[in-house]
Amino acid sequence: MSNPRLPIGVFDSGLGGLTIVKAMQELMPGESIIYYGDTAHLPYGDKSAELVREYAIGITRFLCKKGVKAIVIACNTASAVALDAVIAEAGGLPVFNVIEPAAREALAHSESRQIGVIGTKTTISSGVYPRTIAGMAPEARVVQKATPLLVPLIEEGWLHNTISREVIEAYMSDTGFFNIDALILGCTHYPLVKDEIAKYFKRNFTHKVEVVDSSLAVAEAIRNALTAANLMNEAGKVEHSYFVSDFSRNFEDGAKLFLRQSVSFQKAEN
Ligand code: DGL
């Protein structure tokens, strides 16, 4: 049985997972977090499933050694291809992923049962979203598309300029999306361009399309599960630490984009 006062371990390929951290800090202000961004190996989104699994296992070992009470895979790509490997490595600790909460949230907003998903190439080719949604609502139809250019644009801080708008339009105008009424942002970077994507649908569609940013849904799922397991930190001191596998000042600048506050990173000694 884990100790409620221990921190929660959260990892991502880089900085995108900080969108989940931000939602967790809002919803669970009493929880300490140890974040690990695998900046030496990013992006995960176009790597093989085998390699992403290998990285995820190494990070899980690192977080377990630090003494965490639960592990959050705050990366769609790693959630898509490495969930089983992380569970096997985590020695019975609760492991959370970002796919199921997003799928549930999209279904809750979809009347037409036509749901769009965008994500990295590896997430999309894994088929994890169609599979998960089919398990929850067999009648739903899922249209998915890899949108790899969005990650570098977001990391460049190009969230609301003509280039980001044009890239969003080029991806979203895919005819497959014409009848969807919910779109899952299946990558932890994408919440930063949620507004622009929502505006695209408002401008071009006559019906409403709910753009699903899973970060709050993920944080809610974690809070509910920890509460049910009596693992919420009710009284302990709150402390967050941020590790990266490769350190550069750029990451601290980039982190401000995702967290809207400055944090210091330490290089992880595995
Ligand atoms: N964090 C990844 C995800 O959510 C996107 C960035 C990457 O490709 O590493 O899929």
Side-chain angles (χ1 to χ4, degrees):
M1 177 72 188
S2 226
N3 177 348
R5 297 206 174 177
L6 293 176
I8 302 172
V10 180
F11 79 87
D12 177 40
S13 57
L15 303 180
L18 293 172
T19 53
I20 308 282
V21 169
K22 190 166 179 301
M24 288 171 68
Q25 289 172 346
E26 276 164 21
L27 235 64
M28 294 176 274
E31 296 298 326
S32 298
I33 291 172
I34 298 184
Y35 183 81
Y36 187 109
D38 196 6
T39 49
H41 299 126
L42 67 78
Y44 281 4
D46 47 15
K47 296 216 163 55
S48 69
E50 291 71 29
L51 195 56
V52 173
R53 267 199 287 277
E54 205 179 287
Y55 295 151
I57 290 170
I59 298 167
T60 305
R61 264 183 218 142
F62 174 89
L63 292 172
C64 289
K65 263 197 240 155
K66 288 273 168 209
V68 294
K69 65 181 173 191
I71 292 182
V72 179
I73 312 176
C75 172
N76 281 260
T77 309
S79 292
V81 299
L83 176 63
D84 290 354
V86 172
I87 292 173
E89 196 62 40
L93 292 180
V95 175
F96 300 96
N97 73 88
V98 292
I99 310 289
E100 279 146 30
R104 219 173 289 118
E105 183 80 4
L107 283 166
H109 284 101
S110 173
E111 271 177 33
S112 71
R113 298 325 230 187
Q114 308 234 22
I115 294 173
V117 180
I118 54 173
T120 66
K121 287 181 185 170
T122 301
T123 297
I124 296 305
S125 64
S126 76
V128 71
Y129 275 106
R131 226 175 17 255
T132 305
I133 291 170
M136 294 174 174
E139 75 287 5
R141 181 172 166 264
V142 178
V143 184
Q144 41 166 21
K145 188 174 184 70
T147 52
L149 285 180
L150 291 179
V151 166
L153 271 177
I154 291 166
E155 294 204 333
E156 193 58 33
W158 289 4
L159 310 179
H160 307 287
N161 67 16
T162 45
I163 298 176
S164 53
R165 267 176 224 127
E166 276 180 27
V167 171
I168 286 168
E169 170 149 8
Y171 283 140
M172 293 300 120
S173 56
D174 188 318
T175 52
F177 288 142
F178 281 4
N179 294 318
I180 62 167
D181 64 356
L183 176 82
I184 296 177
L185 302 180
C187 171
T188 45
H189 280 64
Y190 299 173
L192 273 70
V193 287
K194 177 181 175 178
D195 291 356
E196 286 299 335
I197 294 176
K199 277 188 210 154
Y200 169 82
F201 287 125
K202 267 203 193 115
R203 274 198 311 273
N204 294 286
F205 282 37
T206 48
H207 65 278
K208 182 170 168 25
V209 179
E210 183 75 27
V211 181
V212 177
D213 157 6
S214 58
S215 54
L216 272 180
V218 170
E220 245 165 43
I222 298 167
R223 187 184 55 184
N224 294 344
L226 292 184
T227 305
N230 288 324
L231 276 177
M232 288 292 277
N233 184 14
E234 306 294 352
K237 187 166 158 246
V238 177
E239 221 174 317
H240 303 306
S241 31
Y242 300 89
F243 290 91
V244 281
S245 47
D246 179 38
F247 180 80
S248 134
R249 285 269 165 245
N250 301 337
F251 296 132
E252 291 187 333
D253 294 341
K256 272 190 225 152
L257 262 180
F258 293 95
L259 272 182
R260 284 184 235 134
Q261 58 168 304
S262 299
V263 293
S264 309
F265 286 98
Q266 322 169 38
K267 184 168 177 338
E269 304 303 337
N270 288 319

